[in-house]
Amino acid sequence: MSVQRSESIQRIESQDIWDVLIIGGGATGLGAGVDAAARGYSTLVLEAADFCQATSSRSTKLVHGGVRYLQQMNFSLVYDALHERGHMRRNAPHLVDDQSFIVPTYSWWETFYYGIGLVMYDLLSGPFSFGRSYPMVRSRAYRHVPGLNPVGVKAGVRYHDGQFDDSRYAMTLARTMHDLGGAPVNHMQVRSLIKEHGTVLGVVAVDTLTGKEYTIHARSVINATGIFTDSIRQMDDPSAQPILQPSQGIHIMLDRSFCPGEAGILIPKTDDGRVVFILPWHDKLIVGTTDTEVEGPEMEPKATNEEVDFLLEHVGRFLARKPQRKDVRSVFNGIRPLIKAKGAEGTSALSRDHYLTVSPSGMVTIAGGKWTTYRKMAEDVVNVSAESAGLPKVASRTANMPLHGWTRDFDKDDPLRVYGSDVYELYDLMEQDELLAELIHPRLPYRKAEVVWAVQKEMAQTLYGVLALRTRALLLDAAATVEAAPEVARIMAAELGLSGDAAKNWIDTQLTDFTEVASQYIADNCCEL
């Protein structure tokens, strides 16, 4: 058990009552945990699986205002998101980058139309601009995206947005919360709510790693469970009507050679009216996303053949070298927790992007939203929760609060820069044991020291937690990750203090579980027929 997780478990066992208890350890739950802890409230986050394991780790890796919302004339949403984008980069510059994009245009009217829209995008960002938008001639557009298919292209429009590593950001939030005196705990599943006279007073939770059950009392309980929002609402009130309409979006990962330039490509309109991005990330190319309505939430949803073919077809139109299914290094899929069009009775909208519900029992639910606005969502839900519970009124501090590891002293091309100022401790690990400087696989950018670090400092308890979340190996190259898994499991077992038969059994179980999940990320295996 890692030190920080052990400390949090000990606090659960010793603390009589918490000011704020948050169910869910994704972007919103961890963001709320940071916000509440920064205000001085005793704060506990309980995550049933691992931090950021569901939707929050499967985004398009963009910190953005939402270009497509301009077409919908939703200027207030774009304005808010662009300003939150600025806060994210200012508070964690080692995690949030400027990323330029080219919108290829096929007529002079398109060049004018997109050029005007993206200039408006810049203006809405105000002092948080990431760079100026401008049209460019065809030859210059090719220099930025040399993999672009030249057929029919008249010109291009360049604009800037933010890019990040979503689950690395989530780990940083968990560590920030811990720094502030809060207690984030993964693999702790809420089984029921504690109620008295119709009021929620806490939860009963079980540590899924040990089977031990805990009765936890709290002055305020927040439901921030993303795609599982309705499950917790119905735990509170079995008659509660669902407020979510889940929708899944897949991404495929290609080699960088398909588009080796520094800029990404924005496909402004697909056959079904969506926006698709082709963007560099960790020396690969992310292509996404789709929008397919699904019946309910799943932790590991499967892509469909139609979705993979849809992305390959559209990418093939815009790239000079058309990718085939054999070129797909990984397929990852997430379910969006979209709010139903009519919302739900008793739900009040704080913005067009997210919704807050306070149930008659006093439980507060936050739903909807996206990564870029996580901080504002967290601020809103803690404001409501604190007022509802009668906690001392304290203003949010997170708008201009540096996150754990904050630094501007980093090499943008160094894969270890995502650790911020902690990187020097990783260098020390590699100096002490030169074997830890070795890569876990020749096709992956991760070193064995990062496996040790994940267990020691970031509460990693499973092979998936290291290979999919704390590193992004599974997303970058699924087949290579499966090959790397046995050695990573052996390193983890040693760090977890296991030996002999206990280590062997743990390694065998982890490899079986991980291989089953990882197979869904390999293009030939991933899809439902």
Side-chain angles (χ1 to χ4, degrees), residues 57 61 81-82 108 132 137 164 219 237-238 305 307 399 441 454 522 527:
S57 63
K61 321 308 177 194
L82 286 172
W108 296 116
R132 184 174 62 87
V137 297
F164 78 143
R219 295 181 175 88
D237 177 6
N305 278 300
E307 288 174 306
H441 191 281
I522 298 172
C527 302

Side-chain angles (χ1 to χ4, degrees), residues 348-421:
S348 59
L350 296 177
S351 78
R352 292 290 297 278
D353 196 34
H354 64 273
Y355 292 81
L356 272 175
T357 301
V358 182
S359 73
S361 70
M363 186 178 75
V364 181
T365 292
I366 180 81
K370 60 180 181 177
W371 248 114
T372 308
T373 55
Y374 89 90
R375 191 210 62 82
K376 186 64 169 64
M377 294 170 65
E379 178 180 338
D380 289 345
V381 74
V382 174
N383 283 343
V384 170
S385 184
E387 182 178 0
S388 177
L391 299 177
K393 188 173 183 179
V394 182
S396 175
R397 295 173 45 205
T398 57
N400 301 301
M401 189 184 77
L403 298 181
H404 179 92
W406 187 99
T407 183
R408 292 192 183 278
D409 181 20
F410 58 83
D411 178 356
K412 187 175 179 179
D413 295 325
D414 183 358
L416 296 178
R417 54 73 68 90
V418 296
Y419 296 94
S421 59

Side-chain angles (χ1 to χ4, degrees), residues 72 75 111 156-157 165 251 313 401 434 460 522:
Q72 302 171 5
F75 299 121
T111 306
V157 180
D165 186 321
H251 299 79
E313 164 65 21
M401 189 184 77
E434 62 182 18
I522 298 172

Side-chain angles (χ1 to χ4, degrees), residues 3 12 25 48 52 91 99 106 121 173 177 189 233 264 286 314 350 377 400 407 470 484 513:
V3 173
I12 289 175
C52 200
N91 295 342
Q99 175 62 57
Y106 296 84
Y121 196 66
L173 290 176
M177 181 186 170
Q189 185 175 31
R233 291 180 64 249
I286 291 180
H314 281 81
L350 296 177
M377 294 170 65
N400 301 301
T407 183
R470 287 151 185 86
D513 293 346

